[in-house]
Amino acid sequence: MFGLDIGVATLFFLFLFFLALPFIINASLAKSRGQSVILMLLLTFIFSWIVTLILAFMPKNRQSV
């Protein structure tokens, strides 16, 4: 249609990319926020992008040396 044939394989890989993206983002956000990475990945499995928003608005963990 209109010369925009994306294809099923491309849509499948885009779907997998956007499904895996929150796991990648949340692992680094949880580590920088001082949260349990395993717990945040489990919550990401259940709530997906909502956990990303919550972690993004949390303050960073500042350790005093």
Side-chain angles (χ1 to χ4, degrees), residues 19-47:
L19 190 67
L21 194 59
F23 289 96
I24 298 166
I25 293 171
N26 289 348
S28 92
L29 281 176
K31 188 174 181 182
S32 72
R33 294 335 193 239
Q35 301 295 320
S36 169
V37 176
I38 295 172
L39 176 63
M40 289 303 144
L41 292 179
L42 177 66
L43 290 174
T44 301
F45 183 72
I46 299 168
F47 298 111

Side-chain angles (χ1 to χ4, degrees), residues 26-27 29-30 33 35 40 50-59:
N26 289 348
L29 281 176
R33 294 335 193 239
Q35 301 295 320
M40 289 303 144
I50 296 170
V51 178
T52 306
L53 290 174
I54 292 169
L55 283 171
F57 286 110
M58 288 179 72

